[in-house]
Amino acid sequence: MSVTHPDPRIDRVLHTSEDIQAAVRRIGSEITRDYEGRDLALITVLKGGTMFLADLCRAIELPLTVDFMAISSYGPGAEGSVRITKDLDDSIEGRDVLVVEDIIDTGLTLSYLLRVLRQRKPASVSVCTLLDKDARRLADLPIEYRGFSVPDRFLVGYGLDLDGLWRTLPYVATLHDEIWDRP
Ligand code: 5GP
């Protein structure tokens, strides 16, 4: 659904709060069905994934833990090579890990993260993303749970920021092209 927005910097609302909450409930029931009887550990990357994680973990009707990582990119020319600036607090050995992402774009960051997590001998590692910018994918990733496929535009809201702002919008929106400069 697309609605006009009173903030002139916002171009279009792509997914309303109601759309997002419906997707969260749907994915939450799929995960509840698939992980019954398993040892579920939800992991998200700070800070973008926190809004989705907070809603999703309450839509999963199973015992589970949540843990956080923070990463920073080495910069241009080193795509997909990232440094862990905050590691998980707890071991994931033998556990069923589900990585919860706000958005997957090229997939290079997540691909690196999955390699790191798999070295820690979890029982399984799967991926859940609210938004999938699939047209830009460079890495081949198994994505088990997905909210919405999104166009190749810069998005903000529901965890996604521009210079730290816009994260707290309850919906996902595009900005007018002149507001952001694509590298
Ligand atoms: P990837 O390695 O998949 O190319 O990059 C993933 C990261 O790029 C996401 O976790 C997010 O931080 C950032 N990103 C990708 N697309 C967007 C977007 O449309 N808006 C915002 N705010 N960040 C994005």
Side-chain angles (χ1 to χ4, degrees):
M1 185 181 136
S2 160
V3 292
T4 50
H5 194 274
D7 187 322
R9 293 169 298 178
I10 286 193
D11 179 18
R12 283 195 310 135
V13 174
L14 284 191
H15 298 292
T16 63
S17 175
E18 291 75 18
D19 290 342
I20 294 170
Q21 294 310 321
V24 166
R25 286 193 296 275
R26 169 177 60 78
I27 298 171
S29 351
E30 289 170 13
I31 295 171
T32 303
R33 177 196 66 206
D34 296 347
Y35 282 85
E36 170 130 46
R38 295 167 70 187
D39 183 16
L40 180 58
L42 298 185
I43 288 176
T44 203
V45 179
L46 296 170
K47 301 171 184 164
T50 52
M51 310 285 166
F52 183 38
L53 177 85
D55 285 341
L56 183 67
C57 68
R58 290 174 293 172
I60 301 171
E61 295 176 34
L62 294 173
L64 58 84
T65 61
V66 298
D67 206 345
F68 301 90
M69 284 179 110
I71 55 182
S72 86
S73 154
Y74 280 114
E79 284 79 7
S81 183
V82 294
R83 190 163 50 94
I84 296 173
T85 56
K86 185 226 169 283
D87 208 336
L88 299 173
D89 288 334
D90 301 311
S91 164
I92 53 168
E93 190 170 341
R95 304 199 60 202
D96 291 298
V97 171
L98 183 59
V99 180
V100 177
E101 282 276 14
D102 47 354
I103 189 164
I104 303 176
D105 185 13
T106 64
L108 293 174
T109 315
L110 182 58
S111 177
Y112 168 83
L113 199 63
L114 292 177
R115 279 201 300 279
V116 169
L117 295 175
R118 286 191 183 114
Q119 286 166 1
R120 300 181 183 186
K121 302 186 174 60
S124 65
V125 184
S126 298
V127 175
C128 171
T129 187
L130 180 69
L131 306 171
D132 184 5
K133 216 183 258 186
D134 38 359
R136 279 177 43 88
R137 190 65 30 78
L138 294 177
D140 187 23
L141 293 172
I143 302 175
E144 280 81 7
Y145 307 96
R146 160 187 355 237
F148 307 101
S149 172
V150 291
D152 181 13
R153 293 287 307 274
F154 188 81
L155 308 175
V156 293
Y158 199 69
L160 295 170
D161 73 310
L162 176 60
D163 298 333
L165 295 174
W166 308 91
R167 274 190 214 287
T168 53
L169 299 176
Y171 45 79
V172 171
T174 54
L175 295 177
H176 285 292
D177 285 343
E178 60 275 18
I179 309 291
W180 66 284
D181 298 317
R182 178 158 232 164

